[in-house]
Structures are given as structure tokens and as C-alpha cells.
Amino acid sequence: MSAAPMELLRKWLGHPEDIYNLLRFKMGGYRAVMPRMDPDSLGRGLRTCYRYLNQTSRSFAAVIQALDGELRHAVCIFYLVLRALDTIEDDMSISLDVKVPMLHEFHSYLYQPEWKYMESKEKDRQVLEDFPTISMEFRNLSKVYQEVISDICHKMGVGMAEFLEKKVDSQHEWDKYCHYVAGLVGIGLSRLFSASELEDPIVGQDTELANSMGLFLQKTNIIRDYLEDQLEGREFWPREVWSRYAKKLSDLAKPENIDMAVQCLNELITNALHHVPDVLTYLSRLKNQSVFNFCAIPQVMAIATLAACYNNKQVFRGVVKIRKGQAVTLMMDATNIQAVKAIMYQYVEEIYQKIPSTDPSSNKTQQVIASIRAMSLPGGPMASRHHYSPIYLSCAMLLAALSWQYLSTITKATEEYVQAGEN
């Protein structure tokens, strides 16, 4: 065996539960989490919309298509409308004097059957070039769905325009920016869940909890993507925090500043962890299985990502990702609130064990972990979720030793399903 497969094998044997769940996932387990949708049952416009959904985000496409009933179509259109809005915001070829009015007025384009934008240079420009198809399917939705999507689109466009020429300075502004780009998504989705009557009205009414769902995911992405954003000239870490550790945000990537950089990282992760109690409260209210899966999977991916990033110098040197088998295990397990609480408990314990005594944020980190522990103490049936039968593990390890190429293929095949925790 060459070095590469030996390294792959070493990783698998170090985490036998990953092997078991990769096999379980590939051999049909993923259908319990993401059942297949029949495209032939859709009209031409909706088929086109789902094709765009798959082209712009395979990971989101999988979980959206698993939602029940008409909610599936509402969330699909919601995603495409926001993707179109985001494409305008990201397109640096559009001048600000054109872009700002477009962002402010974008919600009105939903009711203009002929509106489209043909001058974008972005990779997802098809959602702008064929916006008439998307807006037509939007107008075919029930009025209750239309009102939610239009309202969120309007608020998000205004927020995006506000931050076009403004950097994130204070922690309050960090929360505000994350609210505009992710918290509003959580609020909009929650209102759609309630409008579908698959969930109780309180899910859509409690905007504070829904906002926290979005903020936890967005802050995780911003923390993890420090180096990628630096290389592309973007800055989303709040100046109020990083200025205590460096003169410029880019200085944190310099090897001589690595100790201060990690302390800054740990402070931001501690900030993000404050949203976990709200996440658990929100998820505990959900009744519909497809909605629960849709909401819970990204959240457990996020806590696993923060645990991998905490006190980790690699954040400033490259990319920190959770293992594919680990992501599949999370997807397979996170199907009820007790399981999610056990997962949260596991990863905050992992963070707790890594807290340096000299870290300036250590007390705050310990305090927020104590509050999460109080909400997620193990005791449910999933608390010992990695204690698989020795027979299963022995078979899985033997299979890995004999068939590493086959398992490598499985890993690649599952990649599109697990990228929700990486995007």
C-alpha cells in the first residue's frame, strides 16, 4: 500500500464508528434522513427551480427536498430568491450606485414577471438570468408563503446594502451583520414552518430563538473561514475583539503572532457558544421529523466544527474540516432532541478539555459550557451513541483493511450530502 491509502486507513481505524456509519449511510441509511423526491411529479417551472437548487448547492438541495409537502417548494423558492439576492451582493462588477438600489428594491422584482439581470459575472448568475421562472413559481405559492419570503428578502437587501461599505467593528455590529445574512434566514424559515402548520405558531413567532439558529451557523463559518476570507480580501471578524490581539486582522496569520491569534480565536468561539442554549430550546419545540432533521443537522455540524477549531493553530494555516465519516455519523444520529443534546454535550466537553489555563477567555468559556451542560446532560437513549457492537466494529475494520479503495469511493459519494456542515 502507498502512503496515501495507509494514512486513510489509519484515520478510519482511529474512528471505527465512522466506518460503520459511512457503510450504513451508503447502503440506504441516508434515505431515512433525506428521502428521494420524484421530479416527474413537478411542473416545468418547479423542475427548473429544483435544477437550479441542485446546481447552486447540492448539500442544501438534499435537505430541502426531504421536507414534507408544500413546505418543500416554499423553502426551495426562498433559497433561490436569497441566492439571487446574494449573487448581486457578491458581484464586484456591479457598481455601488447600481447595486445599492437593486438590493433595496429586490423584493419588488418578485412581482415583476419580466424582471431579470443579464450582466452578472458570478458563477450562480443563472438564478438572475432566469429570474422570471423563479418569480413565477414564487407567485404560485400560497399568499402566506409569499408574504414571508418578500418580507425577509426586503429586510436582507437593506441589511446587505448597509454593510457594503462598512466593516464589522463592534461585537454588536457582528451580531447585526450575522442577523442580516443568516439570522433573517432562520426567522424566515421558522415563519414558513409555522405557516405550513407542520409546526406550532410559536416557532415562527419567537424570532429571538430563530435568529440564534442563524447566528450560530454564520459565526461558525466566519470563524472557520478566517484564512480563506483573508486571501480573498474579506474581513468579518469584529475589530473590537481582534484589535486586542493584533494591529491588523491579517497579522493573526503571521507565525510570530500565533499565540495571540489562537487566543482571539478562542474568544470568538466562546461568543458563538452563547447561542447553543437557544438552539436547543428551538429544536425542542419542533414536532415534524423532516423539519427537525432540516434544522438539527447543520447545528450539530457547527458544534463539531467549533470543537475542531478551538485552540487550533491550523485555522490560521489552512482549512479545518470535520471528517467525512464524522459528518455522516452526525447526520445519522441527529434525528431527535435527546440525540442532539448528547452530541452538543460531547463536543462542548471536547472544548472544555482543551481550554488552556492561561487563555484570557478561559473563565467565560467554562461558564458558557456549564450552561450548555445544564441543558444537555446525557441520560437519553443516545447518550452512549458511539458504543457500537464489537461485531459491527470488527467487521467494519476488517472491511476497511481489505477494501480501502471501496471505502474511499463511498467517502467521495457521500461528500455532496455532508458539505452542509462545511458551507
Side-chain angles (χ1 to χ4, degrees), residues 35-82:
R36 188 187 302 277
M37 187 187 71
D38 179 14
D40 295 333
S41 64
L42 306 175
R44 181 184 298 178
L46 268 179
R47 272 205 309 274
T48 300
C49 287
Y50 279 103
R51 187 173 80 249
Y52 292 154
L53 179 66
N54 278 284
Q55 288 170 353
T56 53
S57 177
R58 290 178 300 173
S59 55
F60 269 116
V63 290
I64 288 173
Q65 289 168 196
L67 288 167
D68 290 342
E70 62 182 16
L71 176 62
R72 177 191 308 136
H73 303 325
V75 174
C76 171
I77 300 304
F78 184 42
Y79 176 86
L80 291 177
V81 168
L82 297 187

Side-chain angles (χ1 to χ4, degrees), residues 4 63 77 79 81 95 115 119 146-147 151-152 199 236 247 263-264 273 291 293 322 338 356-357 373 377 401:
V63 290
I77 300 304
Y79 176 86
V81 168
S95 63
W115 187 89
E119 298 169 41
Q146 290 185 40
E147 288 168 5
D151 179 51
I152 296 298
E199 298 297 344
F236 298 113
K247 290 183 178 179
Q263 289 179 4
C264 182
L273 288 174
V291 171
N293 294 350
I322 59 176
Q338 285 307 122
S357 58
R373 277 173 172 163
L377 284 171

Side-chain angles (χ1 to χ4, degrees), residues 164-326:
L164 275 178
E165 294 185 286
K166 177 168 124 178
K167 289 190 175 180
V168 178
D169 283 330
S170 67
Q171 292 185 69
H172 172 74
E173 283 185 335
W174 197 38
D175 281 359
K176 191 177 183 182
Y177 171 76
C178 292
H179 164 74
Y180 282 138
V181 300
L184 282 171
V185 179
I187 291 168
L189 287 168
S190 301
R191 288 169 61 187
L192 293 177
F193 299 156
S194 293
S196 72
E197 299 185 351
L198 292 175
E199 298 297 344
D200 291 335
I202 187 64
V203 172
Q205 292 165 358
D206 195 335
T207 56
E208 187 175 341
L209 292 189
N211 187 57
S212 279
M213 292 282 285
L215 262 62
F216 185 57
L217 300 182
Q218 186 65 21
K219 287 181 178 182
T220 298
N221 290 344
I222 288 172
I223 290 166
R224 182 201 59 203
D225 293 342
Y226 164 84
L227 192 61
E228 179 185 327
D229 287 336
Q230 279 294 302
L231 294 173
E232 296 185 13
R234 301 189 299 255
E235 293 191 353
F236 298 113
W237 283 26
R239 178 188 294 271
E240 180 185 338
V241 175
W242 63 255
S243 62
R244 293 198 291 269
Y245 301 93
K247 290 183 178 179
K248 295 187 297 182
L249 182 56
S250 58
D251 288 345
L252 295 177
K254 296 178 179 177
E256 63 268 26
N257 297 329
I258 192 63
D259 291 339
M260 296 297 277
V262 168
Q263 289 179 4
C264 182
L265 168 71
N266 291 348
E267 181 173 344
L268 291 181
I269 290 176
T270 300
N271 176 297
L273 288 174
H274 280 89
H275 297 293
V276 173
D278 278 355
V279 168
L280 291 173
T281 302
Y282 180 98
L283 292 174
S284 69
R285 290 176 174 171
L286 300 179
K287 301 185 303 182
N288 179 271
Q289 187 66 57
S290 73
V291 171
F292 187 91
N293 294 350
F294 178 86
C295 295
I297 290 171
Q299 302 294 332
V300 296
M301 298 283 191
I303 191 67
T305 299
L306 287 184
C309 289
Y310 186 81
N311 211 48
N312 189 348
K313 297 175 182 179
Q314 186 60 24
V315 171
F316 304 96
R317 297 170 176 164
V319 181
V320 175
K321 291 185 178 182
I322 59 176
R323 304 182 309 276
K324 292 295 186 290
Q326 182 183 6

